[in-house]
Amino acid sequence: MTRPSHRRRLSRMLPVIGGLLAGSAGAGLVAQMPAERLADLSRLAGTDRLPDPTVLLLAAGCASGMVVWAALYLIWGKGGPLDRPLGNAPVVRRADAHPDAPPRWPLTMAEIGTPPPREQELPIDLDQPLAKFDPYAIPTMSFESIRQTGLRPSR
């Protein structure tokens, strides 16, 4: 089993680290507020009966931490737009990874070549028989002769 690189583990931990930093910053900002303003906020929040502003500190820290964590997880988390493999290795499922058969890059159009045209242009005279427009649509032999000889129509 291969171990993820340090950069990969760091990118997995980025939402958690960012949430913790934002939570501590939010709590620190509330702690730096003047006492009068904090009293007004606690009165508005309905926590004015509590002896200290701990509830406001916890609420500010949790709210800012959760918002930043959610935003970073949506961007860098599993399935996010920045969740991509590092380096030039293609994405391989664990069941498909084998040391004797390393994964190959998908084929490009240059390697495959130009595809055959799927559409034919419409004929000018639409009243012509189908066999004239698409010669493979109608067999060249009659059905009676096919039944008698057991041959397949030529293409």
Side-chain angles (χ1 to χ4, degrees):
M1 184 169 99
T2 61
R3 297 180 60 163
S5 67
H6 293 296
R7 290 177 65 194
R8 186 74 171 164
R9 277 188 268 161
L10 180 63
S11 69
R12 290 280 184 218
M13 292 299 296
L14 187 65
V16 175
I17 293 169
L20 289 173
L21 289 175
S24 60
L29 287 175
V30 171
Q32 295 298 320
M33 290 177 72
E36 301 86 30
R37 183 74 177 145
L38 218 97
D40 292 342
L41 280 177
S42 63
R43 197 174 316 113
L44 284 175
T47 60
D48 54 341
R49 295 185 183 148
L50 295 174
D52 55 8
T54 308
V55 174
L56 286 176
L57 288 172
L58 288 175
C62 288
S64 60
M66 286 189 292
V67 167
V68 170
W69 176 85
L72 290 176
Y73 185 78
L74 287 175
I75 296 171
W76 274 284
K78 190 169 188 173
L82 296 180
D83 180 34
R84 59 180 182 251
L86 299 172
N88 292 329
V91 177
V92 180
R93 297 182 309 167
R94 184 176 175 201
D96 294 336
H98 194 274
D100 293 338
R104 296 182 338 136
W105 282 103
L107 295 174
T108 62
M109 285 304 294
E111 295 170 338
I112 295 174
T114 58
R118 293 183 177 255
E119 296 181 7
Q120 295 181 0
E121 294 187 24
L122 286 174
I124 296 171
D125 180 18
L126 293 177
D127 291 330
Q128 67 180 343
L130 181 63
K132 194 172 187 183
F133 178 64
D134 185 8
Y136 299 116
I138 299 176
T140 55
M141 301 172 66
S142 68
F143 286 114
E144 289 300 320
S145 61
I146 292 172
R147 283 191 203 115
Q148 291 172 358
T149 60
L151 296 175
R152 295 182 174 243
S154 63
R155 287 209 164 227

